[in-house]
Amino acid sequence: MTATESLRTGAGLDGELLRDLYQRMLLTRQLDLEFVTMQRQGVLLGYAPLRGQEAAQVGSGAVVDRARDFVFPTYREVGVAVAMDVDVVGYMATHLGVWNGGAYDPIASRFGAVNAVVAGSVLHAVGWAKGEKLTGSDGVALAYFGDGASSQGDVHEAMNFAGVDRLPVVFFCQNNGWAISVPTARQVAGGSVSARAAGYGFPGVRVDGNDVEAVYLATQEAFARARAGEGPTVIEAMTYRSGPHSTSDDPGRYRELVEENSWIERDPITRLALRLREEHAADEAYFEGALAEARAATESIRTGITETVGRPAEEMFDLVFANRPTTLDQQRDLWRAAAEGEERGDD
Ligand SMILES: Cc1ncc(C[n+]2csc(CCOP(=O)(O)OP(=O)(O)O)c2C)c(N)n1
Ligand SMILES: [Mg+2]
């Protein structure tokens, strides 16, 4: 099988689906802005903004069948969570630091916990896909990773393994131009992540990641192939991280404002709004209603997060080992003594 390389422009989604995708992209944008603010206010410990990547995330996440597929996100996939109706309040508990891995149920929601290990999601997805094949199930794993992650050895091993076994997995790379301060050109030899698929014996496609329809159609096609037993696909969604890498980052130290501004013209939400207007698929009343709805949902999620009650800290010692080693018991006792001392106000 040969890899195909094309910058697709989509065609064919109906107005109702496009409006639904728009609504979710808008909610994602509102949430993203809110979470950055909440981190600045000291409510969230940290957050990785996805501004500019809404089409790539919502367009791909919307294809997932929540009855049988499973998504393996990184640390930047709030848009995918929104596309899949994941409980965002519970999911954000990780960012509050109040629960080990999030208070939502990853198994029931089919959306894995935050994974901060670069490329870790890709290995997990392939392992899960192998399980599906062994049990004769028809679920598809969707692995998110970045352009930076694509230069990790783990991704090579995972893709080769998946290619040899023709596993039901979709490798979804968001090429957002940067891996923290390192531009794609300095880490992706050959210039294309999708082209690498040829070496593993399955197709790779490059899509305009700011065109939600193109993303949706490419993902749908990849899922159909995987479900039919035809193996993996690499999708490389070309997009841009408009904000900082994380709330601890200052992109002004490594890139020019003119570059950031050039991507504002390619903003995926503005672009979809323009199309909906041009095709008379939405009127002004719709856009006003969509914004009001996104703002109300954001407010309610904000309230939910601020009202989230922490779990007993002692649980951090309980959830790692089935049979806790005595060394961990000793650490727990030390921690308890220190915590009690803190409560009394000891130095
Ligand atoms: C194994 C590992 N190495 C390094 C890091 C530090 N780190 C966190 S994010 C990141 C860059 C990842 O860039 P990319 O894969 O393009 O994803 P993006 O952040 O752009 O979404 C690095 C090097 C890490 N978290 N895990
Ligand atoms: Mg990147």
Side-chain angles (χ1 to χ4, degrees):
M1 216 170 287
T2 55
T4 51
E5 277 274 326
S6 62
L7 255 163
R8 299 181 173 203
T9 48
L13 299 190
D14 67 33
E16 197 182 334
L17 178 54
L18 284 176
R19 282 192 299 276
D20 182 61
L21 295 171
Y22 180 82
Q23 181 69 54
R24 289 172 195 272
M25 285 163 65
L26 201 58
L27 173 57
T28 302
R29 172 70 55 88
Q30 294 294 318
L31 287 174
D32 194 59
L33 297 172
E34 190 64 37
F35 294 158
V36 172
T37 306
M38 289 175 82
Q39 193 278 335
R40 300 300 186 226
Q41 291 168 342
V43 180
L44 300 178
L45 302 175
Y47 177 67
L50 64 96
R51 191 183 167 149
Q53 299 178 215
E54 293 87 353
Q57 297 199 5
V58 172
S60 51
V63 173
V64 176
D65 178 346
R66 281 173 277 146
R68 51 186 169 167
D69 302 328
F70 208 100
V71 168
F72 297 83
T74 70
Y75 38 80
R76 201 187 295 290
E77 264 78 66
V78 164
V80 184
V82 168
M84 291 174 63
D85 289 329
V86 172
D87 166 17
V88 178
V89 174
Y91 179 74
M92 291 305 290
T94 305
H95 300 72
L96 278 170
V98 297
W99 180 265
N100 304 295
Y104 77 112
D105 183 345
I107 304 297
S109 64
R110 317 300 282 176
F111 184 81
V114 169
N115 192 338
V117 179
V118 168
S121 54
V122 183
L123 295 166
H124 292 175
V126 169
W128 187 88
K130 175 76 179 173
E132 286 296 282
K133 189 155 185 176
L134 286 173
T135 55
S137 312
D138 63 354
V140 175
L142 175 56
Y144 286 91
F145 62 111
D147 45 297
S150 79
S151 55
Q152 292 274 98
D154 287 345
V155 169
H156 161 71
E157 288 154 22
M159 287 188 181
N160 189 56
F161 190 89
V164 167
D165 265 7
R166 291 169 81 83
L167 298 180
V169 53
V170 176
F171 298 105
F172 194 92
C173 176
Q174 288 173 82
N175 186 338
N176 63 6
W178 294 90
I180 313 184
S181 58
V182 182
T184 309
R186 280 192 44 218
Q187 53 177 320
V188 177
S192 163
V193 176
S194 57
R196 294 180 185 169
Y200 304 116
F202 49 81
V205 289
R206 179 176 262 197
V207 294
D208 180 344
N210 283 13
D211 176 347
V212 72
E213 186 173 59
V215 171
Y216 185 95
L217 291 171
T219 311
Q220 200 176 41
E221 199 179 312
F223 266 71
R225 287 192 64 252
R227 197 124 33 225
E230 292 167 25
T233 305
V234 175
I235 298 172
E236 183 180 16
M238 304 304 288
T239 183
Y240 190 75
R241 191 198 78 214
S242 296
H245 170 74
S246 73
T247 43
S248 321
D249 178 42
D250 172 11
R253 294 178 62 176
Y254 55 82
R255 68 185 189 187
E256 301 291 329
L257 211 62
V258 63
E259 177 188 307
E260 289 180 17
N261 288 341
S262 77
W263 280 88
I264 290 175
E265 290 159 25
R266 285 174 265 187
D267 184 274
I269 298 179
T270 315
R271 191 162 151 186
L272 182 55
L274 194 69
R275 172 167 173 196
L276 289 170
R277 280 195 177 92
E278 273 173 10
E279 294 180 4
H280 304 290
D283 56 17
E284 290 320 305
Y286 165 80
F287 286 112
E288 276 168 34
L291 187 58
E293 196 180 306
R295 283 189 173 145
T298 301
E299 191 51 40
S300 132
I301 287 169
R302 181 189 166 94
T303 305
I305 292 172
T306 51
E307 287 173 355
T308 299
V309 180
R311 300 290 310 168
E314 196 147 350
E315 280 184 357
M316 69 182 154
F317 297 98
D318 296 335
L319 302 176
V320 181
F321 296 98
N323 301 309
R324 199 166 50 216
T326 50
T327 45
L328 198 56
D329 281 337
Q330 287 160 5
Q331 286 180 31
R332 185 200 54 202
D333 294 344
L334 281 171
W335 165 82
R336 193 184 285 148
E340 284 166 3
E342 226 170 73
E343 265 169 36
R344 285 195 307 271
D346 298 353
D347 284 335

